Amino acid sequence: VLVLGGISQSHAAAVAYISNCGSSMSFLNGYGNTVTDVSESGLTLSSLSGYNAVIAQSNCQFVNPTNIGNVLADFADDGGRVILTEFVFQGMWALGGRIMTDGYSPFTIDPNSDGYFISSNLGNILDSGNSLLTGLNTANIVTDYQALVGLDSTATLVAQWDSSRGAIAYNAARNVVGLNLFDPNVSVDTQRLLANAISTNLSSTSVPEPGSLALLGLGLAGLGFSRRKSAC
């Protein structure tokens, strides 16, 4: 079912879900996917054999974030789709390893250990024709938590939250999608965004307008509205 740059939208995907206290991804079964919880304990590339995509999410600290990140990078190198969501971008809850190095994760880690509770809808959409947004009412894509992420130099930014923080980005060369959100169950269109992140062909996404990196940098300036996230 894999094609160059992603998964053909005409086929269902076998999805591995690696999480520590994350929210349920069972809704993805309704989009024709088969989602299986996969433990981080003893995780190897062989553990992900037979899966087309992997979603990583955290709400508690991973026991071995470096190993998970290395295995996810290996999975991406082998052509599998990797989707990273909150809190893998943030402080003590972040992933480590190669998946968070240059050229893999579209978003760079927010080093702050505090959680940001900012109820947001999508704001600035830099690439409205991007296939990650296909079939979505973008006004209904929402999140409560988001990290103060940076953007990897090789990544393409698709949209920002109305807080001006990066929301949706991808790295087509490595087949990795970054969604700076937690709990897609907050709206149907947020759920559909996760489904698109699994299935869309990143090599066929449209090219964003010049200056998207500058817009992200300007948007991050001066942000300080936050609320502490309790550590698990």
Side-chain angles (χ1 to χ4, degrees), residues 13-17 25-26 28-29 33-37 51 55 198:
V15 182
Y17 180 38
M25 294 289 173
S26 61
L28 289 170
N29 296 318
N33 305 294
T34 302
V35 182
T36 303
D37 292 344
Y51 292 103
I55 298 173
I198 292 168

Side-chain angles (χ1 to χ4, degrees), residues 43-173:
L43 186 72
T44 66
L45 185 58
S46 296
S47 306
L48 302 177
S49 175
Y51 292 103
N52 309 119
V54 179
I55 298 173
Q57 184 179 76
S58 64
N59 194 27
C60 298
Q61 293 176 263
F62 288 113
V63 174
N64 195 338
T66 299
N67 180 64
I68 299 171
N70 288 337
V71 172
L72 290 180
D74 290 341
F75 183 79
D77 289 342
D78 279 358
R81 173 65 52 80
V82 175
I83 300 115
L84 303 174
T85 72
E86 268 286 86
F87 286 86
V88 304
F89 307 118
Q90 190 165 327
M92 68 178 71
W93 305 281
L95 279 178
R98 292 197 303 119
I99 199 66
M100 304 310 296
T101 60
D102 293 345
Y104 285 91
S105 173
F107 292 126
T108 60
I109 293 173
D110 172 3
N112 197 329
S113 301
D114 285 342
Y116 294 93
F117 185 84
I118 303 177
S119 183
S120 292
N121 292 72
L122 280 191
N124 188 22
I125 299 175
L126 305 172
D127 186 9
S128 60
N130 195 282
S131 58
L132 285 166
L133 303 179
T134 299
L136 302 182
N137 180 351
T138 55
N140 289 334
I141 298 175
V142 298
T143 188
D144 283 336
Y145 284 101
Q146 58 192 250
L148 186 57
V149 292
L151 187 70
D152 184 77
S153 62
T154 63
T156 299
L157 181 65
V158 176
Q160 296 168 296
W161 294 117
D162 55 18
S163 65
S164 296
R165 295 174 177 176
I168 305 167
Y170 66 92
N171 187 326

